[in-house]
mmCIF file of all heavy atoms in Angstrom:
data_model
loop_
_atom_site.group_PDB
_atom_site.id
_atom_site.type_symbol
_atom_site.label_atom_id
_atom_site.label_comp_id
_atom_site.label_asym_id
_atom_site.label_seq_id
_atom_site.Cartn_x
_atom_site.Cartn_y
_atom_site.Cartn_z
ATOM 1 N N ALA A 286 16.263 14.401 -17.945
ATOM 2 C CA ALA A 286 16.847 15.638 -18.476
ATOM 3 C C ALA A 286 18.326 15.430 -18.758
ATOM 4 O O ALA A 286 19.020 14.669 -18.083
ATOM 5 C CB ALA A 286 16.657 16.770 -17.457
ATOM 6 N N LYS A 287 18.819 16.135 -19.767
ATOM 7 C CA LYS A 287 20.222 15.918 -20.151
ATOM 8 C C LYS A 287 21.130 16.835 -19.333
ATOM 9 O O LYS A 287 21.744 17.755 -19.864
ATOM 10 C CB LYS A 287 20.389 16.218 -21.648
ATOM 11 C CG LYS A 287 19.562 15.287 -22.530
ATOM 12 C CD LYS A 287 19.779 15.624 -23.997
ATOM 13 C CE LYS A 287 18.910 14.807 -24.913
ATOM 14 N NZ LYS A 287 17.472 14.854 -24.633
ATOM 15 N N THR A 288 21.177 16.586 -18.058
ATOM 16 C CA THR A 288 22.035 17.416 -17.215
ATOM 17 C C THR A 288 23.328 16.689 -16.928
ATOM 18 O O THR A 288 23.396 15.461 -16.975
ATOM 19 C CB THR A 288 21.345 17.730 -15.875
ATOM 20 O OG1 THR A 288 20.910 16.495 -15.301
ATOM 21 C CG2 THR A 288 20.149 18.628 -16.072
ATOM 22 N N LYS A 289 24.359 17.455 -16.643
ATOM 23 C CA LYS A 289 25.650 16.845 -16.319
ATOM 24 C C LYS A 289 26.162 17.531 -15.064
ATOM 25 O O LYS A 289 26.087 18.741 -14.935
ATOM 26 C CB LYS A 289 26.662 17.100 -17.450
ATOM 27 C CG LYS A 289 26.699 16.062 -18.530
ATOM 28 C CD LYS A 289 28.087 16.069 -19.179
ATOM 29 C CE LYS A 289 28.194 15.114 -20.355
ATOM 30 N NZ LYS A 289 27.311 15.386 -21.468
ATOM 31 N N SER A 290 26.685 16.738 -14.180
ATOM 32 C CA SER A 290 27.165 17.363 -12.949
ATOM 33 C C SER A 290 28.326 16.594 -12.361
ATOM 34 O O SER A 290 28.501 15.401 -12.609
ATOM 35 C CB SER A 290 26.022 17.417 -11.934
ATOM 36 O OG SER A 290 26.501 17.801 -10.676
ATOM 37 N N LYS A 291 29.120 17.294 -11.566
ATOM 38 C CA LYS A 291 30.211 16.614 -10.886
ATOM 39 C C LYS A 291 29.868 16.368 -9.417
ATOM 40 O O LYS A 291 30.662 15.815 -8.669
ATOM 41 C CB LYS A 291 31.482 17.481 -10.965
ATOM 42 C CG LYS A 291 31.943 17.752 -12.375
ATOM 43 C CD LYS A 291 33.437 18.108 -12.389
ATOM 44 C CE LYS A 291 33.861 18.546 -13.779
ATOM 45 N NZ LYS A 291 33.642 19.979 -14.044
ATOM 46 N N ILE A 292 28.690 16.827 -9.027
ATOM 47 C CA ILE A 292 28.369 16.771 -7.591
ATOM 48 C C ILE A 292 27.296 15.718 -7.331
ATOM 49 O O ILE A 292 26.200 15.804 -7.835
ATOM 50 C CB ILE A 292 27.860 18.128 -7.101
ATOM 51 C CG1 ILE A 292 28.868 19.211 -7.506
ATOM 52 C CG2 ILE A 292 27.666 18.123 -5.603
ATOM 53 C CD1 ILE A 292 28.403 20.583 -7.198
ATOM 54 N N LEU A 293 27.645 14.754 -6.519
ATOM 55 C CA LEU A 293 26.743 13.700 -6.037
ATOM 56 C C LEU A 293 26.172 12.814 -7.143
ATOM 57 O O LEU A 293 26.403 11.634 -7.182
ATOM 58 C CB LEU A 293 25.599 14.283 -5.201
ATOM 59 C CG LEU A 293 25.979 14.863 -3.842
ATOM 60 C CD1 LEU A 293 24.750 15.227 -3.049
ATOM 61 C CD2 LEU A 293 26.827 13.900 -3.064
ATOM 62 N N TRP A 294 25.344 13.366 -8.016
ATOM 63 C CA TRP A 294 24.774 12.543 -9.078
ATOM 64 C C TRP A 294 25.210 13.107 -10.423
ATOM 65 O O TRP A 294 25.009 14.285 -10.692
ATOM 66 C CB TRP A 294 23.241 12.551 -9.010
ATOM 67 C CG TRP A 294 22.685 11.915 -7.764
ATOM 68 C CD1 TRP A 294 22.573 10.588 -7.499
ATOM 69 C CD2 TRP A 294 22.168 12.591 -6.622
ATOM 70 N NE1 TRP A 294 22.008 10.377 -6.273
ATOM 71 C CE2 TRP A 294 21.750 11.602 -5.705
ATOM 72 C CE3 TRP A 294 22.005 13.938 -6.278
ATOM 73 C CZ2 TRP A 294 21.197 11.911 -4.469
ATOM 74 C CZ3 TRP A 294 21.450 14.248 -5.050
ATOM 75 C CH2 TRP A 294 21.059 13.235 -4.160
ATOM 76 N N PRO A 295 25.783 12.278 -11.265
ATOM 77 C CA PRO A 295 26.346 12.799 -12.510
ATOM 78 C C PRO A 295 25.286 13.307 -13.488
ATOM 79 O O PRO A 295 25.602 14.126 -14.340
ATOM 80 C CB PRO A 295 27.075 11.597 -13.112
ATOM 81 C CG PRO A 295 26.506 10.401 -12.433
ATOM 82 C CD PRO A 295 26.048 10.828 -11.088
ATOM 83 N N ASN A 296 24.082 12.840 -13.364
ATOM 84 C CA ASN A 296 23.048 13.356 -14.260
ATOM 85 C C ASN A 296 21.676 13.044 -13.680
ATOM 86 O O ASN A 296 21.551 12.403 -12.641
ATOM 87 C CB ASN A 296 23.175 12.770 -15.671
ATOM 88 C CG ASN A 296 23.255 11.258 -15.621
ATOM 89 O OD1 ASN A 296 22.589 10.620 -14.805
ATOM 90 N ND2 ASN A 296 24.087 10.693 -16.468
ATOM 91 N N ALA A 297 20.641 13.491 -14.394
ATOM 92 C CA ALA A 297 19.271 13.323 -13.895
ATOM 93 C C ALA A 297 18.922 11.853 -13.746
ATOM 94 O O ALA A 297 18.272 11.441 -12.785
ATOM 95 C CB ALA A 297 18.302 14.015 -14.837
ATOM 96 N N ALA A 298 19.362 11.050 -14.721
ATOM 97 C CA ALA A 298 19.015 9.627 -14.684
ATOM 98 C C ALA A 298 19.567 8.956 -13.436
ATOM 99 O O ALA A 298 18.914 8.104 -12.825
ATOM 100 C CB ALA A 298 19.543 8.938 -15.948
ATOM 101 N N ALA A 299 20.777 9.333 -13.069
ATOM 102 C CA ALA A 299 21.372 8.739 -11.865
ATOM 103 C C ALA A 299 20.545 9.087 -10.636
ATOM 104 O O ALA A 299 20.312 8.263 -9.750
ATOM 105 C CB ALA A 299 22.816 9.237 -11.692
ATOM 106 N N TYR A 300 20.085 10.338 -10.595
ATOM 107 C CA TYR A 300 19.252 10.748 -9.468
ATOM 108 C C TYR A 300 17.945 9.960 -9.452
ATOM 109 O O TYR A 300 17.515 9.466 -8.416
ATOM 110 C CB TYR A 300 18.955 12.255 -9.544
ATOM 111 C CG TYR A 300 18.070 12.738 -8.432
ATOM 112 C CD1 TYR A 300 18.597 13.070 -7.184
ATOM 113 C CD2 TYR A 300 16.692 12.858 -8.613
ATOM 114 C CE1 TYR A 300 17.786 13.502 -6.154
ATOM 115 C CE2 TYR A 300 15.877 13.281 -7.588
ATOM 116 C CZ TYR A 300 16.422 13.599 -6.360
ATOM 117 O OH TYR A 300 15.619 14.023 -5.344
ATOM 118 N N ALA A 301 17.333 9.869 -10.647
ATOM 119 C CA ALA A 301 16.051 9.160 -10.724
ATOM 120 C C ALA A 301 16.214 7.718 -10.274
ATOM 121 O O ALA A 301 15.359 7.155 -9.585
ATOM 122 C CB ALA A 301 15.500 9.237 -12.146
ATOM 123 N N ALA A 302 17.340 7.106 -10.672
ATOM 124 C CA ALA A 302 17.576 5.720 -10.277
ATOM 125 C C ALA A 302 17.738 5.614 -8.768
ATOM 126 O O ALA A 302 17.203 4.709 -8.119
ATOM 127 C CB ALA A 302 18.821 5.190 -10.993
ATOM 128 N N ALA A 303 18.495 6.556 -8.196
ATOM 129 C CA ALA A 303 18.698 6.532 -6.744
ATOM 130 C C ALA A 303 17.371 6.705 -6.018
ATOM 131 O O ALA A 303 17.089 6.049 -5.015
ATOM 132 C CB ALA A 303 19.677 7.638 -6.333
ATOM 133 N N SER A 304 16.541 7.600 -6.549
ATOM 134 C CA SER A 304 15.246 7.839 -5.917
ATOM 135 C C SER A 304 14.351 6.624 -6.042
ATOM 136 O O SER A 304 13.652 6.237 -5.108
ATOM 137 C CB SER A 304 14.586 9.068 -6.554
ATOM 138 O OG SER A 304 13.290 9.221 -6.057
ATOM 139 N N GLN A 305 14.402 6.019 -7.227
ATOM 140 C CA GLN A 305 13.585 4.818 -7.451
ATOM 141 C C GLN A 305 13.964 3.744 -6.448
ATOM 142 O O GLN A 305 13.129 3.067 -5.867
ATOM 143 C CB GLN A 305 13.791 4.324 -8.887
ATOM 144 C CG GLN A 305 12.973 3.126 -9.278
ATOM 145 C CD GLN A 305 11.507 3.450 -9.460
ATOM 146 O OE1 GLN A 305 11.157 4.528 -9.963
ATOM 147 N NE2 GLN A 305 10.642 2.545 -9.077
ATOM 148 N N LYS A 306 15.274 3.617 -6.227
ATOM 149 C CA LYS A 306 15.763 2.582 -5.316
ATOM 150 C C LYS A 306 15.330 2.884 -3.886
ATOM 151 O O LYS A 306 14.930 2.009 -3.135
ATOM 152 C CB LYS A 306 17.299 2.559 -5.398
ATOM 153 C CG LYS A 306 17.918 1.377 -4.724
ATOM 154 C CD LYS A 306 19.314 1.087 -5.314
ATOM 155 C CE LYS A 306 20.071 0.207 -4.340
ATOM 156 N NZ LYS A 306 21.305 0.762 -3.834
#
Side-chain angles (χ1 to χ4, degrees):
Chain A
K287 298 181 184 54
T288 52
K289 270 206 184 62
S290 170
K291 300 202 187 86
I292 308 174
L293 291 188
W294 295 283
N296 51 37
Y300 178 84
S304 174
Q305 182 72 37
K306 191 156 162 240

